[in-house]
């Protein structure tokens, strides 16, 4: 039987691999992400293991290793099984606190597999935790993978060609050059604003901490309504970004500089598209504002929305695809400097950010079990040492604050989270 062929990184996979290498260089496990589904009861774990076996059979890259082949990187399948790992909370302790402690213990350990799956049981259900190395797939891809594991029709999930590759193939050489020049100019603009950071500490051993803020149905509806008022139907992500800029500014950033720059991704997949399962299929955008702009709430949202409309009008949302294609030929350290560092030598990102949108399991749940909540995790570079990951389950909003400890001061972060509540709900923080 012939060995499965290697799967070469697409340009966005290499982008995340470079950041994975930066994280490892700082002594952390790498660019791993976590997706936690809170379930009302224990699913059929034997069936789940069968699905993991089917996943590796159908998509061998799920347990592959990274190899450099020539000047490019690829996933080389190993055929290794992915074993569902089971964990049990102590019955005598608080289930929510204990299950989160186990999540963080798993996430902080060194890992060799690109993907692992864990069941963390407690007396009223449990948490299904999917951990993956970010070069393998993006957060929307993780949702598709979970859909595969829980689907009644797994045969409907098929691998397809890179969406980034397909988009690049549509353009002539001149179009690619034109977009590349636009992206380089836009990147230079982003680099010109020295970014406020959540920490002044840039070295030393770190562990990952997690603070999760869940909003009920009424609060989530109010936040959605305010987002529509301030940034329109297509701009809910901008509302979250603007609120966080204000929260950080009003509490006071530990490294106070000229303003805020927050990269955020847009996904090339169609909403609810079942394929492709693996690979990153994203482009990059920036939300930028000076500290003066951030202090005026109404003007800030007008600025962010106007900036976003200009980006779409000038096709800057696609302009980074040719730049990412070129970047995949650079050595990781050289590419990382381009991605992370401003002209001043400081860090480009005020924090890491991801918004996966509304993830609905309302009809059948996961393997027939209702999904009650969710949270997310990710390792990030230091600085900035802070990430805000956003998602909704059946309309209920959850914010997962990931931070490196001791680089991020917990008391400061708690104050920012309280201020963020007030900004999102447009209320008095007390």
């Amino acid at each position: 039987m012939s060995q499965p062929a290697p799967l070469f990184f697409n340009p966005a996979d290499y982008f995340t691999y470079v950041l994975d290498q930066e994280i490892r260089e700082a002594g952390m496990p790498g660019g791993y992400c976590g997706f936690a589904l809170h379930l009302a009861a224990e699913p059929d774990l034997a069936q789940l293991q069968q699905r993991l076996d089917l996943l590796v059979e159908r998509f061998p890259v799920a347990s592959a290793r990274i190899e450099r082949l020539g000047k490019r990187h690829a996933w080389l399948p190993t055929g290794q099984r992915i074993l569902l790992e089971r964990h049990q909370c102590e019955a005598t302790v608080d289930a929510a606190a204990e299950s989160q402690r186990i999540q963080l213990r798993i996430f902080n350990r060194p890992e060799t597999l690109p993907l692992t799956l864990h069941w963390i049981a407690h007396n009223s259900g449990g948490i299904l935790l999917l951990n993956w190395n970010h070069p393998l797939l993006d957060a929307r891809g993780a949702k598709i993978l979970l859909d595969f594991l829980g689907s009644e029709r797994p045969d409907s999930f098929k691998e397809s060609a890179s969406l980034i590759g397909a988009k690049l193939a549509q353009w002539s050489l001149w179009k690619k050059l034109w977009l590349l020049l636009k992206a380089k100019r836009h990147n230079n603009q982003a680099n010109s604003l020295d970014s406020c950071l959540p920490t002044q500490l840039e070295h030393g051993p770190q562990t990952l901490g997690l603070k999760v803020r869940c909003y009920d149905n009424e609060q989530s509806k109010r936040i959605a309504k305010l987002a529509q008022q301030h940034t329109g139907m297509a701009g809910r992500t901008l509302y979250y970004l603007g609120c966080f800029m204000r929260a950080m500014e009003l509490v006071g950033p530990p490294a106070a500089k000229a303003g805020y720059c927050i990269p955020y991704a847009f996904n090339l997949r169609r909403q609810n598209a079942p394929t492709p399962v693996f690979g990153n299929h994203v482009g990059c955008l920036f939300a930028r504002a000076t500290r003066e702009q951030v202090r005026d709430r109404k003007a800030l949202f007008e600025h962010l929305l106007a900036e976003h409309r200009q980006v779409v009008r000038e096709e800057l949302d696609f302009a980074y695809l040719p730049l990412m294609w070129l970047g995949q030929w650079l050595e990781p350290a050289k590419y990382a400097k381009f991605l992370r560092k401003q002209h001043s030598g400081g860090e480009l990102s005020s924090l890491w950010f991801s918004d996966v949108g509304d993830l609905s399991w309302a009809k059948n749940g996961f393997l027939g079990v209702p999904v009650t909540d969710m949270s997310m995790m990710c390792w990030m570079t230091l600085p900035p040492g802070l990430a805000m990951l956003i998602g909704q389950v059946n309309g209920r909003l959850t914010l997962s604050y990931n931070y490196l400890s001791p680089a991020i001061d917990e008391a400061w972060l708690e104050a920012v989270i309280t201020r963020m509540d007030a900004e999102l709900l447009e209320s008095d923080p007390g």
Side-chain angles (χ1 to χ4, degrees):
M1 184 175 178
S2 61
Q3 280 289 103
L7 179 68
F8 282 95
F9 286 4
N10 75 44
D13 300 340
Y14 188 63
F15 178 100
T16 58
Y17 172 74
V18 165
L19 295 174
D20 168 273
Q21 295 299 290
E22 289 284 280
I23 294 166
R24 290 175 193 269
E25 282 290 318
M28 294 174 278
Y32 279 87
C33 302
F35 208 129
L37 294 187
H38 299 234
L39 303 181
E42 181 174 288
D44 185 333
L45 300 182
Q47 183 181 356
L48 196 49
Q49 181 62 65
Q50 290 171 1
R51 280 296 166 80
L52 281 172
D53 292 340
L54 181 61
L55 178 72
V56 175
E57 178 187 325
R58 292 273 309 282
F59 305 101
V61 70
S63 63
R65 68 175 186 269
I66 295 173
E67 291 281 346
R68 186 178 176 93
L69 301 177
K71 292 187 176 181
R72 295 184 62 192
H73 289 75
W75 291 104
L76 199 64
T78 65
Q80 184 175 350
R81 289 184 76 198
I82 299 171
L83 297 176
L84 176 65
E85 298 185 44
R86 305 186 189 192
H87 313 265
Q88 180 68 53
C89 293
E90 294 181 29
T92 57
V93 299
D94 177 73
E98 173 71 354
S99 58
Q100 181 165 307
R101 186 190 66 78
I102 294 172
Q103 275 181 255
L104 287 170
R105 186 189 72 205
I106 295 166
F107 203 65
N108 276 282
R109 75 187 190 186
E111 188 57 77
T112 55
L113 287 171
L115 188 148
T116 60
L117 190 67
H118 307 260
W119 171 248
I120 304 169
H122 54 69
N123 53 12
S124 58
I127 290 176
L128 188 70
L129 175 64
L130 178 74
N131 277 0
W132 74 95
N133 196 0
H134 202 352
L136 186 68
L137 68 164
D138 53 44
R140 177 61 67 174
K143 168 60 165 65
I144 295 172
L145 195 149
L146 286 166
D147 286 343
F148 172 88
L149 294 175
S151 174
E152 295 176 358
R153 298 176 57 246
D155 288 345
S156 66
F157 291 77
K158 293 179 173 62
E159 191 65 273
S160 70
S162 162
L163 296 177
I164 289 179
K167 180 60 71 175
L168 287 167
Q170 292 176 7
W171 297 328
S172 68
L173 176 61
W174 294 114
K175 170 87 170 181
K176 291 173 187 172
L177 288 172
W178 178 67
L179 287 170
L180 190 149
L181 291 172
K182 278 193 163 190
K184 193 170 187 306
R185 186 168 63 246
H186 188 54
N187 199 72
N188 287 339
Q189 290 174 352
N191 284 334
S192 67
L193 184 72
D194 276 344
S195 298
C196 294
L197 295 173
T199 177
Q200 291 180 312
L201 178 66
E202 298 189 8
H203 54 82
Q206 304 291 322
T207 58
L208 189 109
L210 174 66
K211 295 183 183 291
V212 180
R213 180 70 175 95
C214 302
Y215 300 88
D216 62 28
N217 285 317
E218 288 306 310
Q219 289 172 321
S220 299
K221 286 177 183 176
R222 174 167 173 76
I223 291 168
K225 183 177 179 181
L226 288 167
Q228 185 173 341
Q229 289 174 6
H230 288 291
T231 54
M233 285 293 289
R236 189 179 297 184
T237 291
L238 297 176
Y239 185 67
Y240 303 142
L241 291 167
C243 285
F244 192 85
M245 288 179 183
R246 281 184 52 79
M248 195 163 155
E249 176 65 21
L250 292 169
V251 171
K257 299 184 181 179
Y260 297 87
C261 181
I262 304 177
Y264 64 105
F266 78 96
N267 206 302
L268 294 171
R269 289 186 181 90
R270 300 186 315 277
Q271 188 71 16
N272 298 323
T275 59
V277 174
F278 290 97
N280 289 268
H281 302 277
V282 296
C284 186
L285 299 172
F286 297 102
R288 300 168 61 249
T290 65
R291 297 185 71 190
E292 290 73 20
Q293 288 171 322
V294 168
R295 290 173 191 139
D296 185 327
R297 181 178 166 87
K298 183 173 183 294
L300 172 63
F301 291 126
E302 289 173 352
H303 160 74
L304 292 176
L305 189 57
E307 186 180 64
H308 180 78
R309 285 172 174 160
Q310 180 186 358
V311 162
V312 174
R313 185 167 59 248
E314 296 185 8
E315 293 188 274
L316 289 168
D317 47 349
F318 289 119
Y320 276 85
L321 301 188
L323 203 60
M324 290 163 70
W325 183 86
L326 275 181
Q328 69 184 332
W329 306 105
L330 294 175
E331 290 292 325
K334 189 171 183 180
Y335 194 20
K337 186 176 180 181
F338 175 82
L339 294 174
R340 291 184 60 192
K341 298 301 180 183
Q342 298 169 311
H343 300 317
S344 65
E347 190 76 12
L348 173 66
S349 308
S350 294
L351 75 152
W352 284 22
F353 175 86
S354 178
D355 176 13
V356 295
D358 197 341
L359 309 174
S360 179
W361 279 277
K363 187 177 180 183
N364 298 317
F366 182 87
L367 288 177
V369 179
V371 178
T372 59
D373 218 327
M374 66 163 288
S375 58
M376 292 180 286
M377 296 187 292
C378 79
W379 284 98
M380 76 295 294
T381 56
L382 178 64
L386 178 65
M388 181 172 65
L389 311 178
I390 295 179
Q392 298 179 70
V393 169
N394 306 326
R396 295 191 307 279
L397 179 66
T398 298
L399 273 59
S400 301
Y401 297 90
N402 290 243
Y403 63 97
L404 298 182
S405 178
I408 299 290
D409 179 73
E410 283 199 52
W412 175 85
L413 182 56
E414 288 285 0
V416 169
I417 292 172
T418 299
R419 184 72 235 187
M420 182 68 171
D421 286 348
E423 291 298 322
L424 286 171
L425 293 162
E426 217 170 60
S427 62
D428 186 345

